[in-house]
Amino acid sequence: MTDLIADVEMELGPAAIQTVVTAVAGGRAKSRRLAQALATRPGVLTDGRSPAPRAIGDLLIELRKAGATAISPPVCAECGKNLRTLQRQGQDRYCSVCGQESAECAACGNTRRLAFRDREGLPRCSMCPDADDRDPVDVVHEVIAAISPDADRDVVAGALHRSVPTRPAYRRRLVWALEDNPRLLTGDGYLAPHRAILQFIDLLHEAGVAGIVRPACPRCHRVVRIDKPLDGQRVCRNCIAKSRVEECVRCGARREPATRDEHGRPLCPNCLVTDPANTEVCVSCGERRRVQTRTADGPLCPNCCPLPVLACSLCGRTTPCTLSKLTGLPRCGGCDRRQAHCTVCGRLRGIHSGTADAPVCGPCTTPDAELWRPCPTCGEAERLRAPGPCPRCTLKQRLHGLLADDAGAIPPKLQALHDALTGTERAGTAMRWLSKGIVSTVLSDLASGRRPLSHKALDELPEGKVVEHIRSVLVATDTLPQRDEQMARLERHVKDLVTSHATVEGRKVLHRYATWHLLRRLRRRSRDKDITHTQLTVVRQHLRAAVHLLDWLEGQNLTLVTCRQLDLERWMTSDDVRHRREAGNFVRWALSQKIARDLSFPAVRWNGPSRPMDEEARWATARRLLHDDTIRTEDRLAGLLLLLYAQWPAVISRLTVDHIEQTDEAVRIRLGDVPVQLPDLVADLAIRQVAARRSHAVLARTDSPWLFPGGQPGRPISVWAMGERLRKLGIRLAETRSTALFQLATELPAAVLARTLGIDITVAVKWQRAAAGDWGTYAADVSRRLQRSVQEDPSE
């Protein structure tokens, strides 16, 4: 905007122009609209003509005030007169003469400028006032006295002046409306023609005037603020939102639009805040995310907003905490969300005081009747911040509205889902999930039968985390059967990639390679277990390498049959080659299948680690994880499994509680065929993780067997998330695992290493050779040790 204005205005410098633009433009959304309007028609800067947004007129006026001479002020759309203030009708601006509506006066009959409307709503000119010499306070007090004879005139006068502090004509119309329909004060306030009447009723009700009834919303029947006009009635904001529901063009959610895109199509609030145009780079984490707050250094995302590091009054951990509004004591995020059985009343509620072993709920902490009011639906004492049911009952009503059929009953196929969601620990989390994206739309479609309850029906929805979370909730509640999601995603990817290839011959080769080699080998290796994301990524890379090679051959008018070694080497040495190593697997497969001939693409052999082993850094990190209580237990345990036992994040993330074997003597973990006894400090972390593990999903407490639950119900933490958490601890995954495996290979034979750590024997042998270990005399050494022990203690 500064550049566009500077091209026209020579008197003002760029700094002065930018100051004016910043003051007028405001937030990012308004700035973008203003910039788009200027870029679309920059001539508005010199002619000031309509149509144009209001912000354009404000910008022109402020630039003129700042001393701009080449910038035109806004002009009247009808007569062309320069304007100092803006009177608009739509996108057009008019002066005080042209912008006034003309009509036939109901009193004198002359067609003149409309000044106001009389008591009957008829037009009047300025020469024919609708005179009413009565005192408005006396009139309205007389109306209220008919309802409440003891009403104090001073109270009525104070409420009237607070409702309409200025504009005597508007106050007179309010009094006329009450005089014509006194029932507005006794419950029919939703028919009020003026919004100030509702405020007047609230003030009288707060003052204790008998007989005055606050009106309920005519649609949802809640006694809340109703000041939005809809079909001749005053309704609440929630009902207004429901009346404006449209389908979001991006995610498909049916919600009230928060904004519209450049084509005028609706966008829901979630798509608005997650739009890349509305995100910024966080100065703390460096990620481009939604701005939560702004500091002197720059914007911060929701994950990086700083909290004071204090000792939690409940669990005792020193960690970022918030101050409880009930007790004023610090409370960490885990305890703030935690629910437990109160040691005083025995009910399962959020804890507010006490300790981790002896929690106390809110009503038992501060038994204040004004603070903890009974829910009108279930009767439980809750901290209700607004009229209506508690969060738990609100969740039940919301789910019943989504899942119930025409008869008002929950279908049997969705009953388990309904029970699991209504019984979740965090009702607020479930409510936020239901309002996220297309969740409510999908659940409603499944309940009504508009969408079949099957994996195939969910596959037809746009891919994304929201749909995957819906699927995981349905699977975790046994509403849908279990299936290997990574394999299903891989099969869809293979199908799309194969069908998108240009040539028929290429599609046939890719189909054979993907279906009968890559997928077949992957199923055989997985041994009826769910494949990991790493395995999915490897297969994708192999398939993309085949596609790149076939595309290059097609561009050279070649095929696998006509390709020769010279052509293959020319591709391997070209600048645009991608996935060279993975392409070798495809070439060797083509040779074995007699599709290609006279080609050679040798495999790359592993000759040991390429980076130096930093043993001291490994042990320093291990000591920090063993003794630093400020790090989360799950992160400490996962990091130690990598540092001490050379386990990849893909393996750590798929550990279950059954892998931890606890006896009176020791705690063991089963990483391979033979369990490994854990040291005392590591064993303590493992036991604590088994007891305290919980998911971050909407169904936080499920019967999930995973040792490290993930963000989706019934599923483990993803490999990427596990790797990111370890990287934030300063652990370099590949280098750390190589160091640990290198050290273990020097201390254990390959067979023992393979059975203990769960790695393949060939991998163990390669690492032993890389470590220069010689275990040829291992069996003889063990035999000699046994003989010595028997000689020293014959009783054995």
Side-chain angles (χ1 to χ4, degrees):
M1 289 185 283
T2 302
D3 293 340
L4 289 173
I5 298 172
D7 291 341
V8 176
E9 177 57 47
M10 301 301 177
E11 296 294 331
L12 293 179
I17 294 175
Q18 188 170 0
T19 301
V20 175
V21 168
T22 304
V24 174
R28 293 171 59 84
K30 183 179 178 182
S31 299
R32 285 197 301 272
R33 290 195 298 268
L34 184 56
Q36 183 178 4
L38 284 179
T40 303
R41 195 170 77 85
V44 71
L45 295 171
T46 54
D47 60 29
R49 292 189 175 277
S50 303
R54 177 184 177 87
I56 292 289
D58 295 334
L59 179 62
L60 298 179
I61 292 174
E62 294 301 323
L63 287 172
R64 296 283 298 184
K65 290 181 180 179
T69 57
I71 300 296
S72 170
V75 299
C76 176
E78 187 169 335
C79 67
K81 177 182 176 181
N82 291 345
L83 303 177
R84 291 180 295 177
T85 59
L86 299 180
Q87 303 179 47
R88 304 171 67 240
Q89 294 181 6
Q91 293 276 333
D92 295 324
R93 296 183 289 264
Y94 294 92
C95 63
S96 59
V97 177
C98 301
Q100 291 292 333
E101 179 184 357
S102 298
E104 183 179 348
C105 178
C108 64
N110 296 322
T111 301
R112 293 177 177 173
R113 186 186 307 169
L114 176 62
F116 62 92
R117 293 184 180 273
D118 61 11
R119 185 170 184 174
E120 286 76 23
L122 299 177
R124 290 288 187 100
C125 65
S126 58
M127 304 297 295
C128 302
D130 188 6
D132 188 350
D133 297 331
R134 298 178 298 170
D135 186 354
V137 176
D138 293 336
V139 177
V140 75
H141 179 260
E142 182 180 351
V143 174
I144 295 175
I147 302 172
S148 177
D150 298 332
D152 189 351
R153 185 183 184 280
D154 293 336
V155 172
V156 174
L160 183 61
H161 283 279
R162 288 178 61 188
S163 302
V164 191
T166 58
R167 301 172 61 191
Y170 182 54
R171 184 184 304 150
R172 189 165 57 248
R173 290 199 295 273
L174 182 150
V175 173
W176 289 343
L178 294 177
E179 188 179 18
D180 293 339
N181 187 8
R183 293 194 304 273
L184 297 176
L185 299 171
T186 57
D188 289 350
Y190 62 90
L191 299 174
H194 309 294
R195 180 166 30 178
I197 294 178
L198 299 169
Q199 185 180 2
F200 181 60
I201 294 173
D202 289 340
L203 293 173
L204 293 177
H205 187 270
E206 292 176 1
V209 178
I212 302 300
V213 179
R214 293 182 61 202
C217 175
R219 296 203 171 201
C220 64
H221 308 292
R222 296 184 303 152
V223 181
V224 293
R225 180 180 178 182
I226 53 171
D227 56 357
K228 308 296 181 183
L230 180 64
D231 297 335
Q233 298 176 334
R234 298 278 174 176
V235 299
C236 66
R237 179 66 184 84
N238 191 32
C239 292
I240 280 288
K242 291 181 179 179
S243 68
R244 298 172 180 172
V245 166
E246 294 184 59
E247 184 173 333
C248 177
V249 296
R250 291 190 183 175
C251 67
R254 294 187 57 80
R255 301 177 64 183
E256 180 187 16
T259 187
R260 296 184 181 273
D261 62 9
E262 62 275 10
H263 304 294
R265 298 175 300 182
L267 293 176
C268 70
N270 185 60
C271 291
L272 172 64
V273 299
T274 57
D275 192 295
N278 291 327
T279 59
E280 297 183 44
V281 177
C282 174
V283 296
S284 177
C285 64
E287 298 289 336
R288 189 174 184 87
R289 292 176 177 169
R290 178 172 61 89
V291 177
Q292 178 71 17
T293 186
R294 297 184 183 276
T295 63
D297 298 328
L300 290 176
C301 69
N303 295 337
C304 297
C305 288
L307 290 174
V309 178
L310 303 170
C312 177
S313 60
L314 298 175
C315 65
R317 292 192 307 161
T318 301
T319 185
C321 297
T322 57
L323 296 180
S324 171
K325 294 182 179 179
L326 286 183
T327 62
L329 299 175
R331 186 170 56 182
C332 67
C335 294
D336 189 28
R337 297 186 296 268
R338 180 185 169 202
Q339 291 201 350
H341 288 279
C342 176
T343 54
V344 178
C345 64
R347 289 179 294 182
L348 180 65
R349 312 174 70 101
I351 62 174
H352 289 262
S353 63
T355 63
D357 298 328
V360 180
C361 68
C364 295
T365 300
T366 308
D368 188 351
E370 293 295 329
L371 186 63
W372 304 96
R373 294 181 287 117
C375 171
T377 303
C378 65
E380 293 286 344
E382 294 288 346
R383 192 175 183 182
L384 302 178
R385 295 177 174 82
C390 64
R392 179 74 57 186
C393 294
T394 303
L395 173 62
K396 292 180 179 179
Q397 295 174 3
R398 174 68 169 154
L399 285 172
H400 190 273
L402 289 175
L403 303 180
D405 54 19
D406 296 336
I410 304 296
K413 60 184 180 180
L414 297 176
Q415 187 64 49
L417 173 66
H418 176 271
D419 296 342
L421 290 175
T422 55
T424 186
E425 285 186 3
R426 305 171 189 171
T429 302
M431 284 296 296
R432 287 191 296 272
W433 179 67
L434 290 176
S435 61
K436 184 177 182 180
I438 59 173
V439 175
S440 58
T441 304
V442 172
L443 294 182
S444 178
D445 290 346
L446 294 176
S448 62
R450 292 189 295 269
R451 188 181 301 277
L453 184 58
S454 63
H455 284 290
K456 183 178 179 181
L458 295 181
D459 291 339
E460 297 174 355
L461 295 171
E463 290 189 18
K465 292 183 178 180
V466 176
V467 175
E468 290 304 314
H469 199 280
I470 296 174
R471 189 195 308 273
S472 64
V473 171
L474 295 175
V475 172
T477 56
D478 295 328
T479 307
L480 282 179
Q482 292 274 357
R483 81 167 184 179
D484 189 346
E485 291 303 324
Q486 300 287 5
M487 181 61 76
R489 187 179 297 113
L490 179 58
E491 290 174 347
R492 292 198 300 269
H493 177 76
V494 167
K495 181 180 178 181
D496 295 340
L497 197 60
V498 171
T499 55
S500 63
H501 194 69
T503 64
V504 177
E505 187 63 28
R507 289 195 292 269
K508 292 181 179 179
V509 172
L510 288 175
H511 176 74
R512 288 178 58 186
Y513 178 60
T515 305
W516 299 108
H517 179 65
L518 295 178
L519 295 181
R520 181 168 173 264
R521 183 178 60 177
L522 183 59
R523 291 191 180 97
R524 184 174 65 251
R525 290 182 175 179
S526 62
R527 299 175 184 175
D528 297 330
K529 296 181 181 179
D530 291 353
I531 66 172
T532 65
H533 186 269
T534 304
Q535 291 173 314
L536 179 144
T537 303
V538 170
V539 173
R540 280 182 174 179
Q541 290 177 351
H542 281 79
L543 191 56
R544 286 171 183 166
V547 172
H548 293 323
L549 178 56
L550 291 177
D551 289 343
W552 183 85
L553 291 174
E554 181 185 353
Q556 303 295 320
N557 296 322
L558 296 171
T559 64
L560 282 174
V561 177
T562 60
C563 179
R564 294 297 176 261
Q565 185 66 29
L566 184 61
D567 300 323
L568 181 60
E569 292 176 356
R570 187 156 50 91
W571 172 77
M572 294 171 62
T573 57
S574 61
D575 295 334
D576 58 347
V577 62
R578 288 184 288 177
H579 302 296
R580 181 188 291 108
R581 179 180 299 180
E582 291 79 4
N585 185 71
F586 174 63
V587 173
R588 290 189 292 273
W589 170 84
L591 289 170
S592 65
Q593 298 295 316
K594 304 297 190 291
I595 300 176
R597 59 190 179 88
D598 299 333
L599 295 179
S600 176
F601 203 125
V604 178
R605 293 187 179 277
W606 184 77
N607 296 317
S610 58
R611 296 182 180 180
M613 305 290 102
D614 192 350
E615 191 69 19
E616 294 183 2
R618 173 194 172 211
W619 287 115
T621 305
R623 283 191 290 269
R624 179 166 64 93
L625 296 181
L626 284 172
H627 302 290
D628 192 349
D629 292 334
T630 61
I631 303 175
R632 291 184 294 186
T633 301
E634 55 265 37
D635 293 345
R636 296 169 65 188
L637 179 60
L640 289 170
L641 291 177
L642 173 61
L643 288 162
L644 302 180
Y645 302 104
Q647 298 297 301
W648 272 116
V651 177
I652 298 173
S653 64
R654 299 177 72 84
L655 291 176
T656 66
V657 293
D658 294 335
H659 287 89
I660 305 296
E661 302 175 0
Q662 183 179 1
T663 61
D664 296 336
E665 299 178 354
V667 176
R668 294 180 175 85
I669 185 169
R670 183 165 44 82
L671 302 174
D673 298 332
V674 179
V676 181
Q677 181 174 340
L678 296 175
D680 292 340
L681 293 178
V682 183
D684 180 62
L685 291 175
I687 294 173
R688 286 162 54 184
Q689 177 60 19
V690 171
R693 64 194 175 93
R694 64 180 297 122
S695 171
H696 302 287
V698 62
L699 301 178
R701 290 292 186 186
T702 61
D703 296 330
S704 174
W706 304 109
L707 184 61
F708 299 95
Q712 295 182 354
R715 297 186 185 177
I717 187 173
S718 67
V719 179
W720 179 87
M722 175 64 75
E724 283 298 304
R725 291 170 68 164
L726 294 179
R727 290 187 190 96
K728 289 182 179 179
L729 296 176
I731 299 175
R732 297 180 178 180
L733 304 182
E735 181 178 340
T736 301
R737 182 179 183 268
S738 297
T739 304
L741 201 52
F742 187 87
Q743 182 65 29
L744 292 171
T746 62
E747 300 173 355
L748 296 173
V752 177
L753 193 66
R755 288 188 299 156
T756 304
L757 302 186
I759 62 178
D760 191 83
I761 184 62
T762 57
V763 176
V765 169
K766 290 180 180 180
W767 273 101
Q768 180 181 323
R769 291 174 180 171
D774 184 9
W775 292 93
T777 61
Y778 175 74
D781 291 340
V782 173
S783 177
R784 283 193 294 268
R785 288 199 300 266
L786 292 176
Q787 290 178 3
R788 284 196 300 268
S789 63
V790 171
Q791 292 174 0
E792 294 173 359
D793 189 359
S795 62
E796 295 184 1

